[in-house]
């Protein structure tokens, strides 16, 4: 009988543990590693630049951006739309010119057929028997050379881009003028951005700069320290950032702003999306995987 052990090498079956051990030693399989704190964006950092915001603004979906970065993004998209619109108008004009030229060409061919036949042209023209025989003879004696049939002045360089079978003028496709959020991919307008006001933490330590501090901001109502581990929300009328605990226990009871006594609506409470990078999206998936070649038996 075979020994039931992980280090058994005399067994007739290639066990799962042996395969896993060999894959780890040979460099095959998938590597999985939990991402650390440095791989996740901080709650007060811009979703574009991943740096602490100097002039923070938030979208209706709760994504935080630096005002300079998001406005530059919107301007770039608008310039791109203007460029695509000009190209669309140019291509559409070319298509209209081609259609008009094709219509004129067909009209000229009809007139030419009318003159040759001496009678009105109704759809197809019935040629005389002599012309039919001459046409059939021409077809039978046609050459297969690529320099015949008027192609002698055309370069036979089929490898050139303009002579490829799929070469042709681009189709005129009207560009979309809507600008979408780079994170949520929902329509975004500059007027919908809401200014955010963070309350500085009063720790009395003036030797460190604000960026160097690990705990920078606090809730203006409960004075709790804000971090990625603390769910937060933004109050739309003033832009203050408070904790979700404050929202659930204090604000939702009377729907009154705790700092200004202003009446609030449900849409005035915007949950702040925390974290989110190319590796982890809003703290839901904090594990990075690297796929390597599979070990074949």
């Amino acid at each position: 009988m075979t020994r039931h052990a992980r280090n058994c090498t005399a067994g007739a079956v290639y066990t799962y543990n042996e395969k896993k051990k060999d894959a780890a030693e040979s460099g095959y399989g998938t590597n999985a590693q939990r991402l650390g704190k440095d791989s996740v964006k901080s709650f007060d950092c811009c979703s574009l630049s991943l740096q602490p915001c100097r002039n923070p603004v938030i979208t209706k979906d709760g994504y935080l951006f630096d005002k300079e970065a998001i406005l530059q993004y919107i301007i770039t998209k608008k310039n791109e739309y203007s460029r695509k619109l000009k190209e669309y108008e140019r291509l559409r004009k070319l298509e209209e010119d081609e259609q008009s030229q094709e219509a004129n060409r067909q009209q000229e061919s009809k007139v030419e057929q009318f003159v040759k036949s001496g009678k009105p042209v109704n759809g197809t023209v019935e040629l005389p028997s002599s012309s039919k025989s001459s046409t059939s003879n021409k077809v039978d004696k046609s050459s297969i050379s690529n320099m015949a049939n008027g192609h002698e002045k055309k370069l036979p360089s089929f490898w050139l881009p303009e002579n490829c079978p799929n070469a042709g003028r681009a189709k005129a496709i009207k560009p979309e003028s809507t600008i979408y959020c780079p994170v949520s991919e929902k329509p975004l307008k500059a007027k919908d951005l809401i200014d955010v006001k963070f309350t500085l933490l009063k720790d009395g330590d003036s030797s460190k700069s604000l960026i160097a501090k690990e705990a920078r901001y606090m809730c203006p109502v409960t004075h709790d320290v804000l971090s990625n581990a603390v769910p937060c929300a933004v109050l739309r009328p003033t832009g203050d950032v408070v904790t979700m605990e404050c929202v659930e226990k204090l604000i939702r009871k009377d729907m009154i702003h705790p700092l200004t006594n202003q009446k609030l609506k449900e849409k005035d409470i915007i949950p702040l999306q925390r974290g989110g990078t190319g590796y982890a999206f809003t703290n839901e998936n904090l594990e990075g995987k690297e796929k390597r070649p599979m070990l074949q038996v």
Side-chain angles (χ1 to χ4, degrees):
M1 293 180 62
T2 59
R3 294 186 300 166
H4 298 281
R6 293 185 178 181
N7 295 325
C8 176
T9 58
V13 180
Y14 190 42
T15 63
Y16 171 77
N17 290 311
E18 290 176 349
K19 184 177 180 181
K20 188 175 181 181
K21 182 179 178 180
D22 293 343
E25 293 178 354
S26 59
Y28 289 91
T30 302
N31 278 348
Q33 181 181 3
R34 184 174 174 83
L35 299 176
K37 180 181 177 182
D38 296 336
S39 300
V40 181
K41 181 183 75 68
S42 181
F43 74 100
D44 61 335
C45 290
C46 174
S47 298
L48 282 177
S49 63
L50 304 181
Q51 299 297 322
C53 296
R54 292 180 292 180
N55 297 317
V57 292
I58 194 173
T59 63
K60 294 185 294 185
D61 300 313
Y63 293 99
L64 192 71
F65 295 98
D66 194 353
K67 195 170 187 177
E68 181 180 357
I70 192 62
L71 290 181
Q72 183 66 34
Y73 170 81
I74 293 175
I75 292 173
T76 302
K77 288 297 181 181
K78 286 185 177 181
N79 293 337
E80 183 180 352
Y81 167 73
S82 301
R83 178 178 56 81
K84 290 182 178 180
L85 185 61
K86 290 181 181 179
E87 182 67 14
Y88 164 74
E89 292 176 351
R90 185 184 69 84
L91 293 176
R92 189 180 62 176
K93 186 176 180 181
L94 289 176
E95 290 180 355
E96 291 177 353
D97 293 342
E98 285 184 356
Q99 291 177 358
S100 61
Q101 290 176 4
E102 183 65 23
N104 294 335
R105 209 177 295 119
Q106 292 178 359
Q107 185 67 22
E108 290 177 359
S109 64
K110 289 181 179 180
V111 172
E112 186 178 356
Q113 290 177 4
F114 174 77
V115 173
K116 287 183 178 180
S117 62
K119 58 182 179 179
V121 179
N122 296 326
T124 58
V125 179
E126 187 177 354
L127 299 176
S129 59
S130 60
S131 61
K132 287 183 180 179
S133 60
S134 61
T135 305
S136 61
N137 293 335
K138 287 182 181 179
V139 173
D140 295 337
K141 297 179 180 180
S142 61
S143 175
I144 61 174
S145 173
N146 59 353
M147 304 298 290
N149 299 326
H151 293 286
E152 61 273 2
K153 295 183 180 180
K154 184 178 179 182
L155 291 176
S157 305
F158 57 86
W159 56 86
L160 295 178
E162 59 269 14
N163 293 332
C164 290
N166 58 351
R169 187 172 288 107
K171 294 183 179 180
I173 301 176
K174 190 173 183 180
E176 190 175 1
S177 60
T178 306
I179 299 175
Y180 295 94
C181 176
V183 182
S184 64
E185 297 183 356
K186 293 182 179 179
L188 176 66
K189 296 181 180 180
K191 65 180 182 179
D192 295 335
L193 298 175
I194 303 163
D195 292 330
V196 176
K197 182 173 65 176
F198 286 105
T199 305
L200 294 176
L201 180 64
K202 300 176 183 179
D203 55 356
D205 187 6
S206 60
S207 59
K208 290 184 179 180
S209 63
L210 184 62
I211 298 178
K213 293 181 180 179
E214 193 167 330
R216 295 189 281 266
Y217 304 110
M218 67 176 183
C219 174
V221 181
T222 62
H223 290 193
D224 292 335
V225 178
L226 304 182
S227 65
N228 264 13
V230 180
C232 304
V234 177
L235 303 180
R236 184 194 294 263
T238 59
D240 288 300
V241 181
V242 297
T243 61
M244 287 301 296
E245 185 179 4
C246 175
V247 172
E248 297 296 336
K249 292 183 178 181
L250 299 177
I251 298 178
R252 288 194 188 275
K253 289 183 178 180
D254 302 322
M255 293 303 289
I256 295 178
H257 198 296
L259 301 177
T260 62
N261 293 330
Q262 185 178 354
K263 192 68 176 178
L264 297 177
K265 298 180 181 178
E266 190 63 33
K267 66 178 182 180
D268 293 333
I269 302 174
I270 305 174
L272 180 63
Q273 302 291 342
R274 300 167 292 140
T277 63
Y279 298 97
F281 182 74
T282 60
N283 298 335
E284 292 179 358
N285 184 14
L286 300 180
E287 190 177 42
K289 291 186 178 181
E290 178 188 4
K291 294 184 179 180
R292 302 182 297 177
M294 294 296 296
L295 181 64
Q296 300 293 333
V297 180

